[in-house]
Amino acid sequence: MSNNETSTEPFQTWMCLICGWIYDEATGLPEEGIAPGTRWADVPMNWTCPECGARKEDFEMVAV
Ligand SMILES: [Zn+2]
């Protein structure tokens, strides 16, 4: 079995600067309609943090 080229990049984790809530690309946010495996770049621009309502621009990537 060969891997799809587009799936070889590791998933990354993002943290809300305001409340510390974590978005994990591998987990997604199914309750918000964001499927597991959704890249941060593919999260809608109008999405907001479920904890504090911050926008995407208030998030920062954290190392995993
Ligand atoms: Zn937040």
Side-chain angles (χ1 to χ4, degrees), residues 34-46:
I34 299 174
T38 300
R39 302 292 183 173
W40 182 243
D42 294 327
V43 172
M45 281 306 295
N46 63 356

Side-chain angles (χ1 to χ4, degrees), residues 15-21 47-54 58-59:
M15 184 179 71
C16 177
L17 286 176
I18 296 171
C19 72
W21 185 85
W47 180 89
T48 56
C49 175
E51 289 292 322
C52 72
D58 294 320
F59 275 66

